[in-house]
Amino acid sequence: MTDIEIEDNAVIPMFTVVIPTYNRSDMLKKAIKSVLKQTCDDWEILVMDDASTDSTEEIVANTFTHSKIRYYRMEKNSGISKVMNKALGLTRTPYLIQLDSDDWLAKRTLERFKQVILKNQHSQKKEKCALYYGNMNVWRVYKGKYRKRKGIRNRQIRGKYDFLQYDGWMVAPRWYRVNALQEVGGWDTSDKYGGRIMEDRRMILRLIEKFPVQHIDKTLYNRTKHRKQLTEPGSIQKRNYLRRQTYEYYLQRWG
C-alpha cells in the first residue's frame, strides 16, 4: 500500500505526528499508542514505512484501525531524509512532529505544544518559530524491558552560531511549522549518503538560518537505546566527515 486517500470533507487537525519506521514492528505499537493516549486530540498519525521487510504493514492494518491513522509505504528503502520529504508532501496540517518508531511521547506532549503555539499566535511573535522542542528521558531497552537511563534537559538555542556549538543528544521532540519546512526545501539529500546521516541536525541548521526556535522546558519525549540501533562499521567516520563538511559549509555561508 502506497497511496493515501483523503476525503474532501475531512476535518484537518492541527498536528501530524509522522512516525518513520524500518523493521521495528516490535516497537512501533508503543509509539502509536503514545499518540492515541494524548490529552489533546487535535492530531493525525502518518506512519511512513521505509520498505520494511517485517510485519510492519500488517500490524498497522490489523491493529490500528483508527480513522486518524494513515499509512504510506515507500517503494524502496530510501533513508530517513527522503522518507521525511515524502511525509512533508503528504502532510496537510500546519505542524508536524517527528516521532521515531522506537520512541514514544509523554501523555501531555501535544497539549503542551498547542498551548505554546496558541500563545505565540496571540502575541507579538506572530508565530515566527519554525521549531519547538522540549526535554526527554532516555531509556535502555533489553529483552523487552525498559529501564530509565537518564533525563536530558535541553536549553534555549539562541541563534545559528549557538546551535553550531550545541553538542550531545539532539533536541527532541522536534515540532516543525510545515510552511517553514517547505520554505527551506525540506530535508537535505544532496550529500553522498543521500540524507541518511545527521538529518535532524542538518534540518535545524536550515531552519535556524531563517527562523527562531523555541525550547519548552517540560519533559515531553522518551527516547530509547537498544541493540537494534547498533550502527554499521564506519558509521562514526561517515558522521564525522559529514559533520565537518556541513559545519564548514555553513561557516563559509554565514561569513
Side-chain angles (χ1 to χ4, degrees), residues 173-200:
R174 295 183 296 280
W175 200 284
Y176 300 106
R177 180 161 54 88
V178 169
N179 56 12
L181 291 173
Q182 294 168 338
E183 184 172 334
V184 300
W187 280 261
D188 187 6
T189 61
S190 64
D191 64 281
K192 67 179 184 179
Y193 307 121
R196 292 178 179 267
I197 302 175
M198 280 179 56
E199 92 290 342
D200 42 14

Side-chain angles (χ1 to χ4, degrees), residues 12-140:
I12 306 300
M14 191 173 189
F15 310 118
T16 296
V17 181
V18 175
I19 306 179
T21 188
Y22 176 69
N23 285 350
R24 284 184 178 156
S25 59
D26 57 331
M27 308 186 84
L28 178 61
K29 290 181 181 180
K30 191 174 184 69
I32 295 177
K33 287 180 179 179
S34 75
V35 184
L36 297 176
K37 294 177 181 178
Q38 290 295 300
T39 55
C40 168
D41 63 357
D42 202 3
W43 55 264
E44 64 183 17
I45 295 173
L46 177 55
V47 178
M48 296 295 299
D49 184 353
D50 195 12
S52 295
T53 58
D54 62 3
S55 58
T56 293
E57 184 170 358
E58 290 78 7
I59 285 177
V60 177
N62 299 328
T63 307
F64 299 101
T65 57
H66 198 292
S67 60
K68 293 166 67 172
I69 298 177
R70 298 189 288 155
Y71 173 88
Y72 185 91
R73 179 180 172 84
M74 302 290 286
E75 294 184 0
K76 63 179 181 178
N77 184 263
S78 304
I80 184 63
S81 292
K82 292 180 181 179
V83 167
M84 292 304 298
N85 281 334
K86 185 64 180 181
L88 179 60
L90 294 171
T91 297
R92 50 186 179 160
T93 59
Y95 300 95
L96 177 159
I97 183 171
Q98 180 178 340
L99 170 60
D100 291 342
S101 57
D102 51 353
D103 298 338
W104 71 96
L105 301 178
K107 191 173 183 179
R108 297 185 64 189
T109 296
L110 305 192
E111 178 186 344
R112 297 287 192 189
F113 275 117
K114 187 172 182 178
Q115 288 172 347
V116 173
I117 289 170
L118 292 178
K119 181 179 179 180
N120 284 353
Q121 288 177 345
H122 291 88
S123 70
Q124 293 182 351
K125 290 185 178 182
K126 301 298 183 183
E127 194 45 41
K128 295 180 180 178
C129 286
L131 168 71
Y132 297 88
Y133 60 97
N135 304 328
M136 63 181 176
N137 289 323
V138 180
W139 299 77
R140 175 71 65 182

Side-chain angles (χ1 to χ4, degrees), residues 130-167:
L131 168 71
Y132 297 88
Y133 60 97
N135 304 328
M136 63 181 176
N137 289 323
V138 180
W139 299 77
R140 175 71 65 182
V141 184
Y142 181 69
K143 293 184 177 180
K145 295 183 178 181
Y146 290 76
R147 177 176 295 179
K148 185 177 176 180
R149 180 179 173 187
K150 59 182 174 180
I152 303 293
R153 185 179 183 184
N154 291 309
R155 61 172 176 81
Q156 177 63 43
I157 300 170
R158 303 188 182 282
K160 56 191 181 183
Y161 290 108
D162 186 25
F163 182 65
L164 283 180
Q165 302 176 71
Y166 200 97
D167 202 6

